[in-house]
């Protein structure tokens, strides 16, 4: 979850919880939140000097008695309190005179949280919204249909998906969809439903169904009406209409029978390369991971103020697990605080007062351990999450530090050698390359199975399946089954919901054992394009956040390995990043800046259409296994269907190296006929379900390879036509129709078109082709270039030829 608990209008009452005196890693505490440091607290601001009314002000009292005194004075206190460095922060509604009177009585009254200036701003915003609503209410809105499709899902059920955009963007606009039961049937005979308003980053996107609707009959048309008066009727087309040819009767599949850890996965691809040396090899990646390893730790204390923890200098597997610490109470009175080290055993002799009671605080013990050369060579010590450590510690028996890792000995604790399986008959860079990679996020256990299954199918079917042989002969395929091996091991053996890698970048304030499941970097936020450091949304600077982007772009070896591979082999033109769950199919751009929803540049018109056209083929391959249909509403550029993901790998590969990349989210929702609802499957479904997901999305990866092969062999020039779409007195509107995904460059001034000329775009997000309006008769010159680089009519934009297309568009003069 993104966000901070230390914001100006947020806070939480600290709670002191009683803990066991010595905490092993299997019984970690949840103590009070640490007092924010001055840098974490939003600065005060003075209340408006011209205000006539009250303000909500901060008041800091030293203790509960101060709070009680304010109550007894009848001060209007908000239901809010927060421990701060110098006492307790309260919020009070005060007039300027009341604030001054409290100051005169010695109260620490600070700056305003909100005042009359905020009120005026809120009123102005409200009035502007009301005025806009009133203005919109007087106008009939325009409805732009984006998509209206039916598709078959698993179990033979049929579903309807509709997306429509209203020109009225306010929340009061309600759209209702009504559909028939097929050609010739009455409107509304199929059903009716209210559509949901889809917003993102505070902006209206369009209306849609939250999930596709089950329909008894295939609708031919759907009519959408608006509460503002707008209406539109459109045909309903089939989604995923590409009927795939069944594989040959000797085609073999299904090579996974359990969830595999990253060691197993890597051993599998290594064995495959050895078994098929003529068409496969292993590429060792240059950057080893930090490894499945942790420093050893132990924690002592009963409450935050008296708690301390120690961390070994060496990893647990390299000696840290052999270190022990004891906190011993001497029998004598007035004993000093001492530290003794014998081998790997550290004994702290706690100080006592004149009555022989322990007098050592947590801070004093931490400082003593740090000052002792022998102890500090073995470990570091810290108070709990930045606490001042003023509480008295308790004696504790000798406690062995532990890294807490539970994986079997078959999982190495050393830095991990990441590997890629390269498949192809000719692996010299002359063939179009495809990069398939899985498990950037550790907890997504199905995804490495997808990559393994794809590799098995390619290699084991090569000898006897003609279609597979074409893929292997004509492509250069790179399969990285686990991008995040350290996190993958940790997820399987220690904490199944681990998302990130295992590298701990946290300072001592968040490095205690209780934070161990929150350490690591989100590898799919660690890349250099559209990153958090560039101001893009969807990643966190907090080292314990699930979307922590790391201390710097490409700080993690796992991310650098991806970049190295795509730079080392520039023939890679396509990529697929496989995640889970939800059943999404997405492509760049993948990030935006929250202010104004400023996206990374959208791909151009031709590339966007290529992504959409390829989607039909790839998703039909997914559907071929058991009928799973990825919804139209979960297909498209990442921000259009999901959220912003700052610093993701697909944007890295597209914007820096021109690699056309998709993102799979395997694990589509399953339809429950009993409840008539779709149900999510989660990151680690029962293996029976995980197996099916692996099978169907491996088929999807094969579909991507087929798309890449078709691209590599595309020698056909595109064909385009000018199409007039509207005429009125004084204007004519036209667009271009193209027989394949391609970009169109055109001129309206009679000049020769080049690659620097105006370029056809889309009308808007998920909308159709741009409409161009002329106000006078014009001869239009243009040519098309497809995604493979073929130019219409073999025209040379950088030459002198005149074999571009041209057509005169007439405009009737206004009377």
């Amino acid at each position: 979850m993104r966000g901070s608990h230390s914001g100006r209008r947020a806070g939480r009452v600290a709670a002191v919880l009683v803990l066991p005196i010595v905490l092993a890693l299997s019984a970690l505490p949840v103590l009070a939140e640490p007092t924010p440091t001055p840098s974490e607290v939003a600065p005060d601001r003075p209340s408006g000097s011209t205000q006539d009314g009250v303000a909500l002000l901060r008041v800091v009292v030293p203790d509960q008695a101060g709070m009680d005194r304010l109550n007894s004075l009848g001060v209007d206190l908000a239901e809010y309190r927060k421990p701060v460095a110098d006492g307790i922060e309260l919020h009070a509604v005060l007039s300027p005179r009341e604030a001054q009177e409290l100051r005169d009585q010695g109260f620490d009254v600070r700056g305003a949280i909100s005042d009359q200036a905020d009120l005026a701003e809120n009123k102005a915003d409200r009035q502007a919204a009301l005025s806009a609503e009133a203005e919109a209410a007087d106008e009939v809105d325009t409805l732009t249909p984006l998509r209206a499709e039916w598709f078959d899902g698993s179990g033979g059920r049929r579903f309807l998906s509709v997306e429509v955009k209203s020109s009225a963007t306010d929340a009061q606009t309600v759209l209702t969809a009504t559909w028939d039961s097929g050609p010739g049937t009455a409107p509304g005979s199929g059903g009716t439903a209210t559509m949901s308003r889809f917003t993102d980053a505070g902006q209206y996107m369009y209306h849609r169904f939250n999930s596709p609707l089950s329909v008894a009959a295939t609708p031919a048309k759907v009519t959408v009406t608006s509460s503002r008066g707008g209406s539109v009727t459109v045909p309903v087309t089939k989604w995923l209409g590409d009927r795939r040819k069944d594989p040959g009767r000797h085609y073999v599949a299904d090579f996974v029978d359990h969830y595999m850890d990253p060691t197993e996965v890597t051993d599998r691809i290594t064995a495959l390369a050895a078994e098929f040396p003529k068409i496969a090899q292993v590429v060792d990646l240059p950057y080893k991971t930090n490894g499945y390893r942790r420093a050893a730790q132990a924690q002592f204390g009963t409450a935050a103020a008296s708690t301390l923890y120690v961390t070994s200098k060496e990893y647990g597997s390299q000696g840290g697990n052999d270190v022990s610490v004891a906190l011993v109470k001497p029998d004598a009175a007035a004993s000093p605080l001492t530290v003794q080290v014998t081998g790997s055993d550290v004994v702290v002799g706690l100080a006592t007062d004149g009555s022989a009671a322990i007098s050592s605080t947590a801070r004093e013990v931490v400082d003593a351990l740090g000052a002792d050369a022998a102890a500090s060579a073995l470990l570091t010590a810290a108070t709990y999450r930045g606490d001042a450590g003023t509480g008295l510690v308790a004696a504790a028996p000798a406690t062995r530090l532990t890294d807490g890792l539970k994986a079997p000995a078959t999982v190495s604790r050393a830095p991990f050698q990441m590997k890629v399986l390269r498949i192809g008959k000719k692996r010299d860079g002359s063939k179009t390359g495809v990069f398939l990679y899985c498990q950037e996020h550790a907890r997504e256990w199905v995804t490495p199975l997808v990559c393994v299954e794809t590799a098995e199918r390619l290699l084991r079917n090569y000898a006897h399946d003609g279609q597979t042989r074409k893929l292997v002969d004509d492509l250069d395929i790179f399969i990285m089954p686990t991008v995040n091996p350290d996190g993958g091991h940790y997820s399987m053996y220690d904490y199944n919901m681990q998302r990130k890698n295992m590298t701990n970048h946290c300072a001592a304030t968040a490095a205690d054992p209780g934070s161990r499941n929150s350490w690591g970097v989100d590898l799919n936020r660690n890349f250099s394009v559209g990153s958090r450091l560039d101001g893009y949304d969807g990643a966190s600077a907090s080292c314990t956040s699930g979307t922590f982007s790391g201390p710097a772009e490409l700080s993690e070896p796992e991310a650098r390995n991806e970049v190295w591979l795509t730079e080392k082999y520039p023939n890679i033109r396509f990529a697929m990043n496989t995640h889970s769950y939800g059943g999404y199919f997405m492509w760049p751009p993948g990030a935006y800046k929250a202010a104004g929803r400023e996206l990374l540049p959208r791909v151009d018109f031709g590339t966007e259409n290529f992504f959409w056209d390829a989607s039909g083929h790839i998703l039909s391959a997914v559907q071929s296994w058991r009928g799973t249909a990825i919804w139209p509403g979960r297909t498209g550029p990442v921000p259009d269907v999901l959220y912003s993901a700052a610093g993701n790998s697909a944007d890295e590969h597209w914007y820096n190296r021109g690699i056309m990349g998709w993102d799979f989210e395997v694990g589509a929702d399953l339809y429950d006929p009993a409840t008539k609802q779709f149900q999510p499957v989660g990151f680690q479904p029962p293996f029976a379900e995980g197996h099916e997901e692996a099978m169907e999305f491996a088929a999807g990866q094969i579909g991507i390879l087929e798309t890449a092969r078709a691209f590599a062999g595309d020698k056909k020039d595109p064909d385009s036509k000018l199409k007039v779409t509207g005429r009125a007195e004084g204007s004519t509107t036209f667009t271009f129709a193209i027989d394949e995904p391609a970009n169109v460059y055109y001129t309206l001034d009679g000049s020769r078109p080049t690659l620097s000329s105006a370029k056809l775009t889309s009308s808007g997000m998920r909308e159709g082709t741009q409409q161009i309006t002329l106000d006078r008769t014009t001869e239009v010159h243009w040519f098309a270039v497809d995604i493979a680089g073929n130019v219409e009519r073999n025209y040379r934009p950088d030459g002198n030829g005149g074999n571009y297309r041209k057509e005169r568009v007439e405009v009737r003069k206004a009377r």
Side-chain angles (χ1 to χ4, degrees):
M1 183 176 71
R2 298 191 296 274
S4 169
H5 66 271
S6 59
R8 192 162 60 115
R9 291 181 170 85
R12 187 176 300 167
V13 179
V16 178
L17 304 181
V18 177
L19 301 176
I21 290 185
V22 179
L23 295 114
L25 293 179
S26 59
L28 300 175
V30 180
L31 293 178
E33 290 190 357
T35 300
T37 63
S39 63
E40 292 176 317
V41 179
D44 289 332
R45 62 182 175 87
S47 56
S49 58
T50 60
Q51 72 176 32
D52 297 322
V54 299
L56 182 63
L57 302 178
R58 287 187 178 86
V59 183
V60 175
V61 295
D63 49 28
Q64 180 66 38
M67 181 175 175
D68 293 340
R69 185 176 168 216
L70 282 176
N71 266 325
S72 67
L73 292 172
V75 175
D76 185 0
L77 294 174
E79 291 80 7
Y80 179 92
R81 58 177 285 173
K82 179 176 70 175
V84 292
D86 46 357
I88 303 172
E89 179 183 315
L90 307 172
H91 297 167
V93 178
L94 300 169
S95 69
R97 187 178 69 179
E98 290 168 336
Q100 187 57 50
E101 289 175 350
L102 288 180
R103 290 189 181 101
D104 292 342
Q105 296 182 56
F107 285 99
D108 183 3
V109 181
R110 301 185 179 181
I113 295 166
S114 63
D115 59 19
Q116 299 302 300
D118 297 293
L119 175 62
E121 184 179 344
N122 285 335
K123 284 184 174 181
D125 290 344
R126 179 176 183 275
Q127 188 56 51
L130 291 173
S131 299
E133 289 178 12
E135 183 178 346
D138 295 333
E139 298 179 2
V140 175
D141 60 342
T142 299
L143 301 184
T144 301
L146 305 181
R147 310 187 69 84
E149 292 149 318
W150 65 269
F151 61 87
D152 288 324
S154 57
R157 295 176 184 83
R158 190 152 292 178
F159 297 92
L160 173 66
S161 177
V162 180
E163 300 173 9
V164 174
K165 186 175 183 179
S166 170
S167 60
T169 61
D170 61 283
Q172 286 68 45
T173 301
V174 179
L175 301 190
T176 303
T178 303
W179 56 93
D180 59 26
S181 301
T185 60
S189 60
T192 185
T194 301
M195 303 182 73
S196 296
R197 183 172 178 266
F198 173 37
T199 63
D200 186 53
Q203 293 193 20
Y204 168 70
M205 308 293 286
Y206 50 88
H207 280 73
R208 63 184 183 183
F209 300 141
N210 281 335
S211 58
L213 301 180
S214 178
V215 293
T218 305
K221 293 181 180 179
V222 61
T223 298
V224 178
T225 56
S226 168
S227 58
R228 301 291 189 193
S231 179
V232 65
T233 298
V234 293
V236 180
T237 60
K238 185 178 182 182
W239 171 244
L240 306 182
D242 180 12
R243 174 59 182 168
R244 293 181 58 79
K245 181 181 178 181
D246 291 333
R249 62 191 181 96
H250 297 298
Y251 190 88
V252 291
D254 196 351
F255 297 99
V256 295
D257 59 7
H258 65 282
Y259 285 124
M260 292 188 285
D261 71 30
T263 295
E264 292 178 271
V265 167
T266 303
D267 288 347
R268 176 76 74 90
I269 66 168
T270 302
L272 286 172
E275 185 177 353
F276 298 95
K278 292 184 178 180
I279 55 172
Q281 68 184 88
V282 165
V283 177
D284 284 337
L285 298 175
Y287 303 105
K288 290 186 178 181
T289 72
N290 190 54
Y292 175 74
R293 54 185 182 172
R294 284 269 168 84
Q297 294 184 302
Q299 185 165 298
F300 308 85
T302 57
S306 58
T307 295
L308 64 105
Y309 69 93
V310 293
T311 303
S312 65
K313 288 286 187 72
E314 299 293 338
Y315 288 106
S317 56
Q318 295 176 330
N321 288 339
D322 298 326
V323 177
S324 72
V325 174
L327 307 181
V328 177
K329 176 185 178 298
D331 294 330
S335 296
L337 178 60
T338 62
V339 176
Q340 292 183 335
V341 179
T342 304
S344 296
D345 300 324
V346 180
V347 177
V348 178
L350 301 174
T352 58
D353 60 17
S355 61
I358 293 174
S359 60
S360 293
T361 65
R363 167 54 61 190
E364 290 169 343
V365 173
V366 166
D367 291 345
L369 287 168
D372 186 90
S376 60
L378 292 173
L379 53 79
T380 61
T383 59
Y384 185 80
R385 298 187 182 180
D387 192 273
T390 57
L392 299 178
V393 300
T399 302
R400 188 75 62 189
L401 277 62
T402 174
D403 61 14
L405 298 177
K406 303 180 182 68
T410 54
V411 175
S412 171
R413 269 59 173 174
F416 195 91
Q417 175 61 65
M418 293 176 60
K419 297 177 183 290
V420 166
L421 181 63
R422 187 180 187 185
I423 299 174
K425 182 179 180 180
K426 194 172 185 180
R427 304 182 302 280
D428 59 0
S430 62
K431 301 293 184 180
T432 296
V434 184
F435 177 31
L436 306 176
Y437 57 111
C438 298
Q439 203 179 25
E440 276 187 337
H441 291 150
R443 63 193 177 195
E444 298 167 5
W445 291 6
V446 175
T447 63
L449 305 186
V450 176
C451 274
V452 168
E453 176 69 19
T454 298
E456 291 273 9
R457 291 186 190 184
L458 290 171
L459 296 174
R460 299 201 183 281
N461 288 298
Y462 179 78
H464 52 260
D465 180 73
Q467 293 302 313
T468 301
R469 189 176 303 111
K470 291 177 182 177
L471 297 177
V472 174
D473 286 352
D474 296 343
L475 295 174
D476 196 356
I477 304 162
F478 300 82
I479 300 179
M480 186 187 296
T482 176
V483 178
N484 187 359
D486 299 345
H489 285 125
Y490 193 76
S491 174
M492 186 152 288
Y493 297 109
D494 299 279
Y495 173 59
N496 70 310
M497 284 299 145
Q498 179 77 5
R499 170 185 171 98
K500 305 180 286 180
N501 69 6
M502 287 182 64
T503 305
N504 178 15
H505 290 286
C506 290
T509 52
D512 60 278
S515 300
R516 68 197 309 269
N517 290 338
S518 299
W519 297 332
V521 174
D522 182 345
L523 298 177
N524 204 32
R525 300 296 186 274
N526 189 233
F527 291 88
S528 68
V529 174
S531 73
R532 173 184 63 83
L533 298 176
D534 294 329
Y536 286 83
D537 195 50
S540 174
S542 169
C543 67
T544 57
S545 167
T547 56
F548 176 48
S549 62
E553 295 170 351
L554 298 173
S555 62
E556 305 309 293
E558 299 92 336
R560 294 198 300 274
N561 277 332
E562 283 191 37
V563 172
W564 178 87
L565 186 78
T566 54
E567 290 180 341
K568 175 73 172 178
Y569 302 101
N571 59 316
I572 295 176
R573 297 294 307 277
F574 296 88
M576 167 54 67
N577 183 8
T578 301
H579 284 265
S580 75
Y581 60 97
Y584 289 85
F585 190 59
M586 303 172 290
W587 52 83
Y592 56 72
K593 296 179 179 178
R597 203 173 185 273
E598 179 188 342
L599 271 73
L600 285 167
R602 286 190 179 271
V603 302
D604 60 31
F605 177 76
T607 305
E608 177 81 0
N609 284 330
F610 180 84
F611 276 128
W612 275 108
D613 276 23
S615 297
H617 180 78
I618 295 164
L619 297 182
S620 292
V622 173
Q623 191 180 39
S624 68
W625 179 260
R626 59 166 175 172
T628 297
I630 303 305
W631 305 347
R634 292 186 176 179
T635 303
V638 177
D640 294 359
V641 298
L642 194 55
Y643 49 53
S644 177
N648 70 81
S649 59
D651 284 345
E652 171 80 27
H653 303 324
W654 166 250
Y655 292 100
N656 280 348
R657 285 169 288 283
I659 297 170
M660 289 180 279
W662 288 271
D663 296 303
F664 264 148
E665 293 279 351
V666 311
D669 292 356
L670 300 177
Y671 186 74
D672 182 354
T675 62
K676 297 183 179 179
Q677 299 290 326
F678 284 93
Q679 303 296 334
V681 297
F683 293 114
Q684 299 142 21
F687 182 74
E689 168 59 24
H691 170 270
E692 294 301 290
E693 294 172 16
M695 295 303 104
E696 62 194 0
F697 283 91
Q701 288 192 338
I702 298 296
I704 290 165
L705 299 179
E706 292 168 345
T707 297
R709 180 176 178 271
F711 166 89
D714 182 8
K715 306 301 180 186
K716 176 181 172 294
D717 295 348
D719 182 66
S720 63
K721 292 181 173 56
L722 188 150
K723 181 180 179 182
V724 173
T725 56
R727 293 187 186 276
E729 287 190 359
S731 68
T732 297
T733 300
F734 74 94
T735 189
F736 297 98
I738 321 162
D739 67 343
E740 63 171 305
N743 287 306
V744 173
Y745 299 85
Y746 64 92
T747 62
L748 303 176
D749 60 1
S751 63
R752 185 176 180 275
T754 70
L755 293 174
S756 299
S757 301
K759 192 175 181 180
L760 186 68
T761 67
S762 65
S763 293
M765 181 194 67
R766 300 173 79 82
E767 297 183 33
T769 312
Q770 174 189 12
Q771 303 292 306
I772 303 165
T773 300
L774 303 174
D775 59 5
R776 61 181 179 273
T777 296
T778 301
E779 184 170 272
V780 181
H781 298 172
W782 79 93
F783 66 94
V785 184
D786 69 17
I787 305 306
N790 300 304
V791 183
E792 189 171 17
R793 294 182 171 180
N794 290 316
Y795 173 64
R796 293 186 58 186
D798 58 349
N800 298 311
N803 58 326
Y804 49 82
R805 304 205 66 151
K806 61 185 73 173
E807 185 169 328
R808 184 179 176 85
V809 178
E810 299 286 342
V811 176
R812 297 195 302 267
K813 293 182 179 180
R815 297 176 182 175

